[in-house]
Amino acid sequence: MTKGRPAISDEVDGPPPVAERARALERLATSRLPSLQLADGLFCERIPADGSPTGRSLQNTVIALIGLLRAEEHGLEHQHHLGALRAGVLSALRSPETTAGDLGLILWAESRFEGRESEEILGILRDRLDSSGDLGAVPGRELAWIVIGLTETREWADLGTGATLLSAARAELLGRLHPKGMLFRETGRGPHRRFPNFETQSFSILALTRLARSGGDPDESALEVAVAAGDRLLELQMEDGAWPNVYDAARGTVVEPFDLRCVHQDALAPLAMRGLTSATGDVRYRDAALAGMEWLWGQNVLGVDLIQFEEGRFADGIGRRDGMDRAFLQGRRALSYVRPVPAGKSTSKLEVDRDQRPDHLGWILEAWAGKEGIGS
């Protein structure tokens, strides 16, 4: 059990049950996503607390598409034309701004269209990686997206290019687990390699468990690595259930908890940890993720509800006030080179980030549609 918290078992039906919360999250996602879509069909970067949609994001668009495809598969109603959304995504395949990680996400989405354009996407991904050097330069979460996209594509595409890319991406991802800290490092180069965030951890675990369950892990090393990282994350989960954001991969410690994002609590931790439970049968992972969801509703350092279903509103999370976050993080990174960083206790510099982001809603649908039951 994590930090002495009680387990949430299949018999728990307390107020409100997890399944009820999950369905409420799904309704929030399907009802709010249209307001974050732009006139050209793509999704915005974010909506500030008191403003209009800003930016245009292919990445957010693909994440929304992945979630909506999951929702439609399980009979959830929504207001989007998925064929048109897919066409908009495919039109950007060869754009210079489309990253290798974006192509991994697009493969993930395309597998749910029975892989119709997977061969073309695979070719573009191969060319993009050849031109950019190697997989070592790909950011952590994007490397995981590539592994997931290639894993999901195996059923639909020729095994030639896809198998070669998957073998290389798998090896790179396995090699990023620090042998002492038992956490995944960031890109293979640069000073920030040692200090990954929670998204790198959660997506890396998800990628390796999906690979293992697909039959693509013959020596079980992918599952072994995912379990090692999952166990370390359980040790580092905060007393209030939050999943810290920035880690020291070499020490296996937390450098800085903030920003604590809602999507980590209600989508990414459930995806990664339920994946570990499904692959291993060990319910500790699933129970830790479910217990951590209470952080969204008052069990957090500020004691506030970050998702308000009746008003149809959701926050991005809790972070340090503008102008303090970067300097604070840099100081804690520098200290971590010398000794473990003590936990920060001050709440005076924290505030709720009221921005709304499409990726949050897309990941909610991917995490919960068809999996509302606790034991899923």
Side-chain angles (χ1 to χ4, degrees):
M1 195 54 49
T2 306
K3 302 284 189 180
R5 288 188 299 276
I8 299 180
S9 69
D10 292 349
E11 287 73 36
V12 171
D13 60 353
V18 171
E20 181 181 324
R21 281 253 173 94
R23 293 187 182 98
L25 284 168
E26 292 167 354
R27 290 192 295 271
L28 175 70
T30 53
S31 64
R32 288 293 291 152
L33 270 172
S35 67
L36 282 78
Q37 190 172 18
L38 303 172
D40 64 1
L42 296 185
F43 281 82
C44 66
E45 286 281 356
R46 63 188 179 94
I47 295 183
D50 299 312
S52 302
T54 63
R56 175 176 282 94
S57 173
L58 174 67
Q59 191 173 102
N60 283 350
T61 303
V62 186
I63 293 168
L65 178 59
I66 288 170
L68 288 165
L69 285 163
R70 173 74 70 185
E72 188 164 280
E73 177 186 355
H74 293 282
L76 301 183
E77 295 184 0
H78 61 82
Q79 304 174 43
H80 300 272
H81 188 295
L82 299 189
L85 200 54
R86 172 178 177 264
V89 167
L90 293 178
S91 70
L93 282 179
R94 298 184 182 277
S95 169
E97 288 77 30
T98 301
T99 68
D102 294 337
L103 292 168
L105 283 175
I106 295 169
L107 279 172
W108 186 350
E110 190 63 16
S111 71
R112 296 181 181 173
F113 286 101
E114 300 185 349
R116 298 175 202 166
E117 302 297 331
S118 294
E119 294 287 357
E120 180 182 2
I121 303 166
L122 282 170
I124 297 171
L125 175 59
R126 179 197 59 212
D127 294 343
R128 186 63 52 86
L129 291 172
D130 286 346
S131 65
S132 64
D134 58 45
L135 284 160
V138 176
R141 66 173 185 169
E142 296 199 16
L143 177 63
W145 293 343
I146 291 171
V147 171
I148 295 172
L150 291 168
T151 300
E152 299 295 315
T153 299
R154 292 171 70 198
E155 182 179 352
W156 305 108
D158 176 75
L159 293 181
T161 297
T164 300
L165 289 174
L166 180 56
S167 177
R170 174 184 180 274
E172 174 65 29
L173 185 52
L174 291 176
R176 291 204 185 178
L177 187 81
H178 197 287
K180 292 183 179 179
M182 291 294 113
L183 291 172
F184 293 98
R185 289 167 283 198
E186 257 302 334
T187 60
R189 305 181 183 86
H192 297 314
R193 183 186 188 211
R194 180 170 168 170
F195 302 108
N197 60 21
F198 182 75
E199 290 195 5
T200 289
Q201 307 308 314
S202 57
F203 282 118
S204 296
I205 289 171
L206 179 63
L208 293 177
T209 56
R210 289 201 175 184
L211 182 62
R213 294 178 68 193
S214 75
D217 184 29
D219 61 0
E220 298 187 354
S221 56
L223 184 56
E224 181 181 345
V225 166
V227 167
D231 286 346
R232 183 53 52 88
L233 288 181
L234 290 192
E235 295 172 2
L236 298 176
Q237 188 178 12
M238 297 167 68
E239 290 290 348
D240 62 6
W243 300 94
N245 192 27
V246 182
Y247 301 87
D248 184 334
R251 294 185 182 275
T253 56
V254 176
V255 171
E256 165 64 342
F258 301 97
D259 293 335
L260 292 174
R261 294 191 63 198
C262 293
V263 69
H264 298 167
Q265 305 296 128
D266 59 27
L268 302 192
L271 275 169
M273 295 302 172
R274 277 201 322 233
L276 274 173
T277 290
S278 295
T280 65
D282 188 337
V283 299
R284 292 179 305 130
Y285 307 111
R286 179 202 66 191
D287 289 347
L290 295 176
M293 290 181 66
E294 291 304 312
W295 181 87
L296 299 164
W297 293 286
Q299 188 177 294
N300 54 60
V301 68
L302 297 182
V304 298
D305 286 348
L306 296 165
I307 296 183
Q308 299 165 335
F309 293 123
E310 293 183 1
E311 294 83 1
R313 296 190 305 185
F314 64 99
D316 192 56
I318 295 175
R320 300 198 181 277
R321 294 175 186 167
D322 288 345
M324 298 180 179
D325 53 348
R326 185 177 297 274
F328 194 86
L329 176 57
Q330 288 175 344
R332 291 175 77 85
R333 281 174 173 163
L335 179 60
S336 194
Y337 278 110
V338 180
R339 58 182 172 83
V341 178
K345 299 294 184 182
S346 173
T347 63
S348 62
K349 298 177 182 179
L350 300 178
E351 63 182 2
V352 176
D353 182 347
R354 300 286 182 187
D355 287 2
Q356 300 184 23
R357 301 176 188 271
D359 63 326
H360 183 183
L361 301 179
W363 291 131
I364 282 175
L365 294 175
E366 176 64 13
W368 290 106
K371 301 178 182 179
E372 297 86 356
I374 292 176
S376 299

